Amino acid sequence: MNNYETQDNVEKTTAQSPYLYSRKSDNQQTTISLGSKVLGSEKVLFLAGPCSVESKQQMIDIAYELKEMGVTALRGGAYKPRTSPYSFQGHGEKALEWLAEVREKTGLAIVTEIMDPHLVPLFEQYVDVLQIGSRNMQNFVLLKSVGKSKLPVLLKRGMSSTIQEFLLASEYVLSQGNPNVILCERGIRTFENATRNTFDINAIPVLREKTHLPILADPSHGTGNSKYVLAVSRGAVAAGADGLLIEVHASPEEALSDGDQSITPQEFRKLVEEIGSIAHAVNRTI
Ligand code: PEP
Ligand code: MN
């Protein structure tokens, strides 16, 4: 490895000339407006929805249900990064139009993943937050292009990335003039195979110490199993996450992607209630 890129050297550079992501004082905190709420405040926010946008009616139905449960932002993939090229790839632009219609009807903010830098202007017409997926965390061309957008960027941690690499990926966006980056811990690859990924709870306090950017937890991808989503959500909020990104599907067994890790609206209602108690215990609200 080039010596300039070693962990030590990156840390030294930080000390001499702080990165834009770095926390300069204990109370420095970036806040980002989402719908009618603010991420990075004392309120723990919920961002939820199916992994993929499957139909307009599906999104309308789930959006009303989730809104009534206190969700701030609806998430759903229009362009899906699938491991196999033969798996469902998303409904693309049509799905963006449906999402915009749902926003119109419900007032929920819309979060969706962008994979192609050329599509930033298209996404800007339809959505509120640009999600960069785990597989693209170090797609530097994409990071620079969303860094020029006015929309907030939800950056997911690369599945094999260190926290330092994650923060430097956020710096690519910040350095282009976009100050609104949301970091999302979504689990990393380890030797453990009882779960899809290993949710790195350590990342939450480490990020809190190093950066003023808001921190989300995604226990759906972090575990890959709907049975564990509630427990890991509790842990993430207790550890200091500013919000949860949760996959919710009306009938997970029929989902076109990530059904195994999707919880039902009924399970989500229980999760919101339980997270209310955890938030209270750490001096926050929902
Ligand atoms: C997703 O949010 O559905 C997704 C593809 O997540 P990740 O990039 O974390 O795998
Ligand atoms: Mn998913």
Side-chain angles (χ1 to χ4, degrees):
M1 193 198 299
N2 178 331
N3 193 39
Y4 182 71
E5 292 184 331
T6 62
Q7 178 89 356
D8 280 359
N9 204 295
V10 168
E11 288 293 344
K12 216 184 311 159
T13 315
T14 310
Q16 284 158 2
S17 131
Y19 287 107
L20 295 167
Y21 70 69
S22 65
R23 176 180 286 291
K24 281 137 201 120
S25 69
D26 281 354
N27 56 12
Q28 186 190 8
Q29 174 64 49
T30 289
T31 56
I32 297 177
S33 292
L34 281 185
S36 56
K37 306 208 185 104
V38 177
L39 182 67
S41 67
E42 73 293 340
K43 244 186 198 317
V44 174
L45 303 190
F46 296 96
L47 294 75
C51 179
S52 295
V53 174
E54 297 168 5
S55 74
K56 181 156 102 177
Q57 198 56 47
Q58 170 210 29
M59 296 312 286
I60 293 173
D61 293 345
I62 201 132
Y64 279 118
E65 253 186 302
L66 294 173
K67 186 183 168 151
E68 182 262 317
M69 296 182 214
V71 163
T72 300
L74 181 69
R75 58 136 292 153
Y79 297 83
K80 294 303 301 175
R82 304 306 300 279
T83 301
S84 165
Y86 306 117
S87 299
F88 177 60
Q89 304 283 306
H91 287 302
E93 187 169 350
K94 207 162 40 158
L96 294 181
E97 288 169 15
W98 298 338
L99 287 168
E101 265 189 70
V102 175
R103 172 176 57 183
E104 196 63 37
K105 287 184 196 300
T106 61
L108 289 173
I110 302 292
V111 181
T112 197
E113 176 165 355
I114 182 161
M115 296 193 285
D116 181 343
H118 299 107
L119 294 187
V120 172
L122 179 73
F123 274 59
E124 284 174 334
Q125 287 175 44
Y126 294 115
V127 306
D128 301 290
V129 178
L130 302 172
Q131 176 175 323
I132 303 286
S134 190
R135 290 156 190 80
N136 273 315
M137 190 207 80
Q138 284 189 318
N139 181 336
F140 301 119
V141 175
L142 183 60
L143 294 173
K144 284 186 191 171
S145 72
V146 298
K148 296 194 180 79
S149 174
K150 295 264 182 293
L151 295 182
V153 173
L154 191 166
L155 179 63
K156 298 188 98 180
R157 180 176 178 183
M159 62 185 81
S160 303
S161 298
T162 64
I163 293 173
Q164 187 65 43
E165 287 162 345
F166 188 20
L167 287 167
L168 286 168
S170 80
E171 190 74 10
Y172 267 87
V173 180
L174 300 170
S175 67
Q176 298 302 306
N178 187 343
N180 295 320
V181 179
I182 303 161
L183 300 172
C184 181
E185 165 58 37
R186 50 77 73 204
I188 51 175
R189 285 251 169 108
T190 68
F191 58 83
E192 182 52 72
N193 59 10
T195 50
R196 180 181 182 186
N197 290 293
T198 297
F199 183 81
D200 181 11
I201 197 131
N202 298 352
I204 297 172
V206 173
L207 290 170
R208 179 68 70 215
E209 179 194 11
K210 291 184 183 294
T211 180
H212 50 84
L213 298 173
I215 303 161
L216 287 184
D218 171 356
S220 305
H221 293 85
T223 62
N225 190 325
S226 58
K227 285 198 296 247
Y228 309 133
V229 169
L230 172 59
V232 175
S233 297
R234 285 200 212 103
V237 170
D242 297 307
L244 294 169
L245 185 71
I246 310 263
E247 288 187 337
V248 183
H249 195 288
S251 30
E253 62 292 343
E254 288 167 28
L256 295 183
S257 59
D258 286 351
D260 291 349
Q261 66 196 36
S262 300
I263 61 173
T264 62
Q266 294 75 12
E267 289 165 334
F268 182 74
R269 185 183 293 282
K270 178 163 178 279
L271 183 146
V272 171
E273 256 174 53
E274 295 213 12
I275 293 303
S277 316
I278 302 287
H280 186 70
V282 292
N283 293 323
R284 300 183 78 154
T285 54
I286 58 166

